Amino acid sequence: MEKQEEFLRQAIKISKENLQKGGGPFGAVIVKDGEIIAATGNSVTNTNDPTAHAEVNAIRMATKKLNTFDLSGCEIYSSCEPCPMCLGAIYWARIDKLYFAANKTDAKNIGFDDEFIYNEIDLPFEKRKLKTTQMLQKEAVSVFELWDKMENKTEY
């Protein structure tokens, strides 16, 4: 666990340094075969990109460096328990293991409260606060059917 603590301390250090850069108090590190391949902070306010959380930024860096969308064999170290978006991205990237320091309650206590998203996810789309309308389902499904029949597709 000594090596894991070292990587997690690096994520925490990045989160602290990120404050000086005008970013949020979050950092993430991705490791493969014991080596750091991506390390970065949150840059939501610096880039005006609401998806630029530390974990997503680190995933983007790691996939670019490894030239693959599949991060199997990697571990991610986050200064805080990932939000729903980041957790989804971690699953989609197929990262093997997640280590985090502060939890979602710690984040909530300083104004980063994602509970409403967790609650919304469980609701049928008709009952969510985000007004949502489904349209043209058959047209979209026809594209899915084409994908499903393709022999030369890259599955992900």
Side-chain angles (χ1 to χ4, degrees):
M1 286 308 249
E2 194 172 303
K3 202 68 166 157
Q4 287 86 0
E5 288 180 2
E6 181 183 321
F7 293 135
L8 193 50
R9 282 194 176 97
Q10 181 65 25
I12 294 168
K13 179 182 176 195
I14 290 167
S15 73
K16 187 175 181 181
E17 291 170 349
N18 206 47
L19 299 178
Q20 306 308 314
K21 299 175 184 175
F26 304 99
V29 171
I30 296 180
V31 174
K32 183 168 179 130
D33 300 326
E35 298 294 324
I36 294 176
I37 58 168
T40 189
N42 167 299
S43 60
V44 170
T45 56
N46 301 23
T47 62
N48 294 319
D49 179 352
T51 69
H53 292 198
E55 298 89 343
V56 171
N57 287 344
I59 288 169
R60 289 172 179 159
M61 290 173 75
T63 57
K64 188 173 184 176
K65 181 172 185 174
L66 297 177
N67 196 34
T68 181
F69 55 81
D70 185 345
L71 296 180
S72 296
C74 293
E75 300 172 339
I76 189 165
Y77 297 81
S78 180
S79 64
C80 185
E81 182 176 359
C83 75
M85 175 187 69
C86 292
L87 187 59
I90 290 165
Y91 275 105
W92 280 116
R94 295 183 179 92
I95 293 174
D96 291 350
K97 192 148 189 187
L98 162 66
Y99 297 87
F100 67 88
N103 64 33
K104 62 184 176 184
T105 303
D106 299 322
K108 177 181 179 178
N109 290 339
I110 62 162
F112 293 94
D113 187 3
D114 299 324
E115 189 172 343
F116 77 97
I117 297 173
Y118 289 107
N119 294 337
E120 288 280 304
I121 288 170
D122 285 338
L123 294 175
F125 71 83
E126 303 88 6
K127 293 187 178 183
R128 293 179 185 163
K129 288 181 180 150
L130 175 64
K131 293 184 188 327
T132 304
T133 304
Q134 182 178 15
M135 300 168 53
L136 304 175
Q137 181 182 10
K138 287 182 182 178
E139 290 180 36
V141 169
S142 70
V143 179
F144 286 176
E145 290 167 351
L146 290 172
W147 164 263
D148 193 42
K149 293 175 185 169
M150 286 178 62
E151 292 183 22
N152 63 340
K153 64 187 170 202
T154 301
E155 295 195 32
Y156 59 97

